[in-house]
Amino acid sequence: MKGIKLKVKQKLRTPAEITREGFAVLCDKLGMADAIRFVQFFDQGHGDYTAERAKLFEGETIASLVDQMRQMKKKETRRV
């Protein structure tokens, strides 16, 4: 087949069309739940978690966080 050039005309799809068709193929092959999990593997999220975490836990220690969790657990136990 050396020297043979094939010309294939293919309509370029929009990103939305590719996304919709690709997700449909994943759902067919993996099922809805696993298709969603697969897509989540590639979600990079947004923001700067390191900076957000430093601000969120500023001034906290492991001991203080554990104490807060224990207090929350006691409150939940009283409600039941």
Side-chain angles (χ1 to χ4, degrees):
M1 292 203 165
K2 191 174 183 180
I4 297 175
K5 294 182 181 180
L6 299 175
K7 291 185 180 181
V8 178
K9 289 188 178 184
Q10 184 177 2
K11 178 188 168 216
L12 292 178
R13 293 177 276 195
T14 66
E17 290 171 327
I18 294 168
T19 301
R20 189 172 32 255
E21 186 174 337
F23 191 69
V25 170
L26 286 173
C27 288
D28 288 345
K29 184 69 176 173
L30 301 176
M32 178 69 78
D34 285 340
I36 291 170
R37 290 180 63 218
F38 177 81
V39 171
Q40 288 174 335
F41 294 147
F42 298 96
D43 181 12
Q44 298 299 311
H46 61 281
D48 182 350
Y49 176 69
T50 302
E52 292 173 17
R53 183 184 64 224
K55 185 177 177 182
L56 178 65
F57 296 115
E58 185 177 1
E60 297 286 355
T61 64
I62 293 174
S64 68
L65 294 171
V66 169
D67 186 50
Q68 289 176 40
M69 288 186 285
R70 286 181 176 146
Q71 289 176 17
M72 291 172 66
K73 189 172 182 177
K74 284 181 184 178
K75 287 179 184 179
E76 288 178 10
T77 304
R78 287 184 212 146
R79 286 188 224 165
V80 176

